């Protein structure tokens, strides 16, 4: 496995990341989350620290389920930003995640989601999940806007 260069919370703050720990429900198990915003105040990236207590598997790397939950939340953040007031009507319809490497304790994992296509009732989103040193996985999903 590749060596990890640990990043601190102070470094993240200096790079424009903001901690978002106002989570509820299942997402608490993955957080706290970190978000980065553009000049217009729209989220452009989401990140998490890999912590042994909450997110690791039996071999000490980020659990695939935690990575998929993070992928859902990261891609979903772009859906929320795009839909505005309609965001409460959007649900994940499909989520594909491909694992290409591992994240370890101390890694800061992040994703910069991109909306590929937005129709009236469907949004297609993709992203690359990575650390500063390597790609961890790729993800893409479809969100449906409910009536």
């Amino acid at each position: 496995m590749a060596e990890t260069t640990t990043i601190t919370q102070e470094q993240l703050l200096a790079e424009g990341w903001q901690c978002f720990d106002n989570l509820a429900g299942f997402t608490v198990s993955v957080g706290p989350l970190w978000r980065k915003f553009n000049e217009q105040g729209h989220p452009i990236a989401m990140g998490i620290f890999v912590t042994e207590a909450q997110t690791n598997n039996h071999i000490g790397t980020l659990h695939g389920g935690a990575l998929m939950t993070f992928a859902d939340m990261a891609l979903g953040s772009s859906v929320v930003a795009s839909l505005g007031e309609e965001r409460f009507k959007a649900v994940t319809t499909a989520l594909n995640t491909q694992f290409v490497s591992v994240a370890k304790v101390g890694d800061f994992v992040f994703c910069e989601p991109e909306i590929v296509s937005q129709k009236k009732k469907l949004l297609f989103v993709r992203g690359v999940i990575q650390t500063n040193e390597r790609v961890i996985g790729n993800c893409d999903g479809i969100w449906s806007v409910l009536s």
Side-chain angles (χ1 to χ4, degrees), residues 111-131:
C111 179
E112 297 173 355
E114 171 192 11
I115 295 181
V116 177
S117 178
Q118 183 170 350
K119 308 294 182 194
K120 184 175 181 179
K121 296 286 184 181
L122 293 174
L123 291 94
F124 299 83
V125 189
R126 68 179 170 205
V128 176
I129 301 169
Q130 57 194 333
T131 69

